[in-house]
Amino acid sequence: MLTETAQTTDRIDHLPTELDSAQSKLVYLTLEATGGATVTDLSDGLNMRKLSILSVLSSLSSAGLIEQTGSAYVPAN
């Protein structure tokens, strides 16, 4: 569950300009705050459909903002 794995992080002052939709910003910020999550974690935690999550993850991955490690997605280094 996302709330159980959330890490204390510094405030993100600048969002990448590639984030053009509210959903992409929400998913990206969630991954930044938690350090990574599965599609199911994101779907449950953000109350979004898995198909929508997968579409956003694909866009973020294509932009080089996130990476897939096993079944989880994490912010790119």
Side-chain angles (χ1 to χ4, degrees):
M1 184 186 253
L2 292 176
T3 56
E4 294 174 1
T5 60
Q7 303 170 354
T8 303
T9 60
D10 292 336
R11 183 177 167 196
I12 299 172
D13 292 323
H14 176 69
L15 286 173
T17 57
E18 297 88 348
L19 301 175
D20 57 354
S21 73
Q23 286 183 333
S24 65
K25 291 174 185 175
L26 181 61
V27 170
Y28 179 81
L29 288 173
T30 300
L31 293 175
E32 281 283 332
T34 62
T38 65
V39 173
T40 300
D41 290 339
L42 291 167
S43 177
D44 293 345
L46 300 176
N47 196 28
M48 290 174 61
R49 294 182 181 187
K50 286 184 180 181
L51 190 57
S52 297
I53 295 287
L54 287 168
S55 176
V56 170
L57 291 172
S58 176
S59 296
L60 294 175
S61 181
S62 294
L65 297 173
I66 64 168
E67 300 171 346
Q68 185 173 4
T69 57
S71 63
Y73 290 84
V74 297
N77 293 329

